[in-house]
Amino acid sequence: TVGTQTDYRDGEAQTDPYSPEYVVLSASIPELLTLATLTWGRGLPAGLAEVEMIERARAKRAWEATLPALDSASQIAKRRKMMDDMEKKEWAFREQEIEKLQELRLEVLKKLLWRRKEKQNELDFNRLDAQWQNHQKALEEKVKKNQHNCALMVRKLIAKRKNVRGKLVRRDIIKDYADFASQTYAPLSRIGYFPDNHAERYVVKNYYLNTFAGLCELEAALPDSVTQVQIRAPEPKCIITKTGFIKRSGRLDAELAQVHQALLDKKNKVKEPKKPLRFLEKIEKPVPQPPTPTLEKPAIEEEETELAVICLQKLLRGRAIQNMMFEGKEKRLELIRELRTTHALQEDVQLLIKAEKQETLALQQQHDLHMHKLSQIESHLAWAEGRTLANMFDFLSKELLRLQEERRIHAFIMLAERQRRMREAEESGRRQLEEMQRQEEDEIFRQVREGELHQSTVDSYLEDIILSSMENTAEEQAKEEIQRMAVEINDIAYEMENRRTRLQSEEIVAEMVYSFLIPEIEKNSFKEKVRQSQRKHIIAAHQIIHRDTE
């Protein structure tokens, strides 16, 4: 009686859709019940695959409705042909499904391989990065160690060079106490002194600092100016307000006063006299120069003669060099002219060479680009050819296997057909022989009873009795056989319906259709054996493909 409105839809609060109970009339088979195997999450909501399955089931039911009855040999042959065609279509559809499943598995394998390759590459990169980092750390540590050793060796060499001759040097106490880095203030542990062992010696122990009575005595001895500090506030250098704020005019006055005082200090600054030297400085005397060597003065005549000879030598040497240069010039006159023309045209030639060089570089770049494009095109063509050849070889190998299996199945079918015909021939011969024996016995019996009076009446009576008894017996046997088969079929159907899948349901329908034809039972069993053998081969092929892919 109370209606409420919520903010949520039923689909958001409901887990699985509600399926109400239903009652099916005995004379009707609704199409919706054929989809009873589909549940929520397993086929529902229906997708493209479920719609295709429903359409195939409808087409199959329509095809079953068009099958001819089993009332004549021609209808039986037509029915057999239609069933063979349907079986071929089902085999083709199953092959397509198997190929789709194989393609999906191959795609999944490719994705898994690609992911594994990416993970492996990432692991390799991280491993290489870690190794590189370790190598860099080891290298840095090695460099630091080398630098430390280098500094140590340099200090040792400097210490050795201070006393090369090995003289004994007295200790300079003043220098040790003036240098706070000497052994007096900071002795080294390698000499045998450890300052931390006797650290308590440096602790200040005082009665006035360590005891309360001493502190009270020290505080009483100190004047009041030490214990009671009186701090006076500094007087402001400029005018301020009541709140303590300095005005801009006061700040400017203070700055001007500071500048004025600085200028006065600089103006009235007196130069400080030089301080006398604190320590005496030793002035080293320069090293005396060696005496200048002197030469004896030659005579004037000898000096003039020597100068004349030197001038004559210079003239002769200059003339000889001039003659040699003239002869070389005459010999290489053509070369000189060629060089002059070359130097005159050198700038133009350089410009031409530069232009040719640029043109050559441009052509080379164009050639490289062209070769790069050609290599890319060749690589793409090679990839396309390889892919096409691989697909073609794969298709041919699959076709070869399929043809081999078809020929094998055809050979098995021919052998089975031949065996069936041989059995039918033997059975027909046996029946003919029995018919001939029966005719002979009937003839003998007819001749024996020929003399009796009511031969025809007895024959008709016996014939009526035999026919009625045969009809009754056949009818009872047929009813019993039908009831027994119906019970067995119902039990098998209920059991299989509880645990069957979509493919098994299709196989059950196909087997029920085939079971109406008694001559086809043996053929169906043989086809089932062939299917099982093919299943083994398909599983083996899948295992080989998966192992090769891995």
Side-chain angles (χ1 to χ4, degrees):
T1 58
V2 179
T4 60
Q5 184 176 3
T6 65
D7 295 334
Y8 301 97
R9 296 174 63 250
D10 293 340
E12 296 176 354
Q14 189 172 353
T15 54
D16 291 338
Y18 172 67
S19 298
E21 297 180 356
Y22 57 89
V23 178
V24 182
L25 298 176
S26 60
S28 64
I29 301 176
E31 186 181 7
L32 189 61
L33 291 181
T34 57
L35 307 177
T37 55
L38 300 178
T39 58
W40 185 260
R42 296 182 179 179
L44 292 177
L48 182 61
E50 286 75 14
V51 172
E52 292 179 354
M53 183 187 72
I54 293 168
E55 293 296 331
R56 286 198 307 274
R58 287 179 177 175
K60 196 165 187 180
R61 286 195 295 272
W63 172 78
E64 289 175 356
T66 58
L67 286 174
L70 300 173
D71 52 359
S72 63
S74 61
Q75 295 294 333
I76 291 172
K78 186 177 179 181
R79 187 186 183 97
R80 185 181 299 171
K81 185 177 179 182
M82 291 174 68
M83 294 180 70
D84 290 339
D85 295 339
M86 180 56 68
E87 187 178 3
K88 289 179 181 178
K89 290 181 181 178
E90 289 180 354
W91 276 104
F93 175 72
R94 289 181 182 178
E95 288 180 357
Q96 291 179 0
E97 285 188 341
I98 290 169
E99 289 178 357
K100 288 180 181 179
L101 289 174
Q102 289 177 352
E103 290 177 358
L104 290 174
R105 288 178 180 175
L106 287 174
E107 291 294 331
V108 172
L109 280 174
K110 287 179 181 178
K111 290 181 180 179
L112 291 175
L113 290 173
W114 181 254
R115 290 179 183 173
R116 187 178 70 177
K117 188 176 180 181
E118 287 183 349
K119 289 182 180 178
Q120 189 65 32
N121 291 334
E122 187 176 357
L123 290 175
D124 294 340
F125 178 75
N126 294 333
R127 193 180 294 111
L128 290 174
D129 192 10
Q131 290 180 358
W132 185 79
Q133 292 290 342
N134 295 332
H135 182 69
Q136 288 295 113
K137 288 181 181 178
L139 187 62
E140 290 177 358
E141 292 178 356
K142 191 174 181 181
V143 170
K144 288 181 181 179
K145 188 176 180 181
N146 291 336
Q147 290 176 355
H148 177 70
N149 294 333
C150 179
L152 183 63
M153 296 303 294
V154 168
R155 288 197 299 270
K156 287 183 179 179
L157 290 173
I158 291 171
K160 285 182 180 179
R161 290 187 65 184
K162 285 181 180 179
N163 191 4
V164 179
R165 296 181 181 180
K167 292 182 179 181
L168 295 175
V169 181
R170 290 185 179 182
R171 180 188 177 190
D172 192 355
I173 298 174
I174 297 173
K175 185 178 179 181
D176 290 344
Y177 278 91
D179 186 9
F180 292 100
S182 63
Q183 296 292 327
T184 303
Y185 295 100
L188 298 175
S189 299
R190 67 170 177 265
I191 299 174
Y193 183 78
F194 301 96
D196 295 337
N197 293 341
H198 304 286
E200 66 275 1
R201 293 187 302 179
Y202 303 103
V203 178
V204 178
K205 296 179 181 179
N206 195 348
Y207 168 75
Y208 294 102
L209 298 178
N210 294 336
T211 60
F212 180 73
L215 287 172
C216 292
E217 187 177 351
L218 181 63
E219 185 178 358
L222 292 175
D224 295 337
S225 61
V226 177
T227 57
Q228 298 177 3
V229 181
Q230 294 180 0
I231 300 173
R232 294 181 180 179
E235 294 181 357
K237 297 179 181 180
C238 54
I239 302 171
I240 60 174
T241 60
K242 294 180 179 180
T243 58
F245 179 73
I246 300 173
K247 294 183 178 181
R248 183 178 296 176
S249 60
R251 191 183 298 112
L252 290 175
D253 294 339
E255 290 177 357
L256 290 173
Q258 288 179 0
V259 172
H260 180 66
Q261 187 65 32
L263 290 173
L264 289 177
D265 293 341
K266 189 174 182 182
K267 184 178 181 180
N268 300 326
K269 187 176 182 181
V270 180
K271 292 184 179 179
E272 296 180 357
K274 292 185 178 180
K275 295 180 179 180
L277 295 175
R278 188 175 180 183
F279 302 103
L280 296 175
E281 292 183 359
K282 185 179 180 180
I283 300 174
E284 295 182 357
K285 294 182 179 180
V287 180
Q289 296 181 356
T292 306
T294 57
L295 296 175
E296 296 180 358
K297 188 175 182 181
I300 297 174
E301 295 179 356
E302 292 179 358
E303 188 175 356
E304 291 179 355
T305 305
E306 187 177 357
L307 291 173
V309 171
I310 291 171
C311 182
L312 184 60
Q313 289 178 353
K314 288 181 179 180
L315 290 172
L316 291 174
R317 286 174 182 171
R319 191 63 180 173
I321 293 170
Q322 188 178 3
N323 291 332
M324 288 174 63
M325 290 177 66
F326 185 75
E327 289 177 359
K329 177 184 175 183
E330 291 295 331
K331 288 180 180 179
R332 298 173 179 83
L333 186 61
E334 294 181 358
L335 182 59
I336 290 169
R337 291 175 182 173
E338 185 177 355
L339 288 173
R340 285 178 179 174
T341 55
T342 303
H343 282 290
L345 298 174
Q346 189 173 7
E347 294 182 358
D348 298 336
V349 172
Q350 287 180 357
L351 293 173
L352 290 173
I353 290 171
K354 190 174 181 181
E356 289 179 357
K357 185 178 180 181
Q358 292 179 357
E359 187 177 357
T360 305
L361 290 174
L363 291 174
Q364 189 175 2
Q365 290 179 358
Q366 290 180 2
H367 180 69
D368 293 340
L369 289 173
H370 183 64
M371 293 301 292
H372 182 64
K373 289 181 180 178
L374 288 177
S375 63
Q376 285 184 349
I377 292 169
E378 288 178 358
S379 63
H380 286 301
L381 289 175
W383 177 78
E385 290 176 358
R387 184 178 179 183
T388 306
L389 290 174
N391 293 332
M392 184 175 66
F393 289 150
D394 187 17
F395 176 73
L396 291 175
S397 63
K398 289 180 179 178
E399 286 293 324
L400 180 60
L401 292 174
R402 190 177 65 81
L403 289 173
Q404 289 176 355
E405 292 296 329
E406 284 185 358
R407 290 179 180 177
R408 187 177 177 184
I409 292 168
H410 183 68
F412 283 133
I413 292 171
M414 293 296 291
L415 290 173
E417 190 70 22
R418 181 182 176 186
Q419 188 176 5
R420 186 177 65 80
R421 289 178 181 177
M422 290 175 65
R423 289 180 179 178
E424 288 180 355
E426 291 176 357
E427 187 67 25
S428 61
R430 194 181 299 111
R431 287 180 181 177
Q432 288 179 2
L433 183 60
E434 290 177 356
E435 288 290 337
M436 291 175 64
Q437 290 178 358
R438 189 180 296 109
Q439 289 178 2
E440 289 179 358
E441 290 176 358
D442 291 341
E443 185 66 25
I444 292 170
F445 181 75
R446 188 181 62 77
Q447 290 179 2
V448 169
R449 299 297 301 274
E450 189 176 2
E452 294 182 0
L453 181 62
H454 302 288
Q455 182 66 34
S456 59
T457 306
V458 172
D459 290 338
S460 61
Y461 178 74
L462 291 174
E463 187 175 358
D464 293 334
I465 292 171
I466 290 168
L467 288 173
S468 61
S469 62
M470 286 176 65
E471 288 177 359
N472 294 330
T473 304
E475 187 177 0
E476 291 176 358
Q477 289 181 356
K479 288 180 180 180
E480 291 176 359
E481 187 70 16
I482 288 169
Q483 291 178 358
R484 184 178 61 80
M485 289 177 67
V487 172
E488 290 178 357
I489 290 170
N490 287 332
D491 295 336
I492 293 170
Y494 290 146
E495 184 179 359
M496 292 182 69
E497 189 174 2
N498 292 328
R499 58 181 182 181
R500 71 181 178 182
T501 59
R502 181 171 59 84
L503 295 174
Q504 290 178 354
S505 62
E506 292 180 1
E507 291 178 358
I508 289 169
V509 172
E511 289 177 359
M512 289 177 66
V513 172
Y514 298 154
S515 63
F516 286 105
L517 301 177
I518 295 174
E520 296 294 329
I521 294 174
E522 190 172 355
K523 182 179 178 180
N524 291 334
S525 63
F526 179 73
K527 287 182 179 180
E528 185 65 23
K529 292 179 182 179
V530 172
R531 191 183 300 109
Q532 294 295 332
S533 63
Q534 287 181 351
R535 183 67 179 172
K536 294 178 182 178
H537 295 309
I538 290 170
I539 292 171
H542 287 180
Q543 291 177 357
I544 293 170
I545 292 169
H546 294 168
R547 185 173 63 251
D548 294 340
T549 307
E550 291 175 358

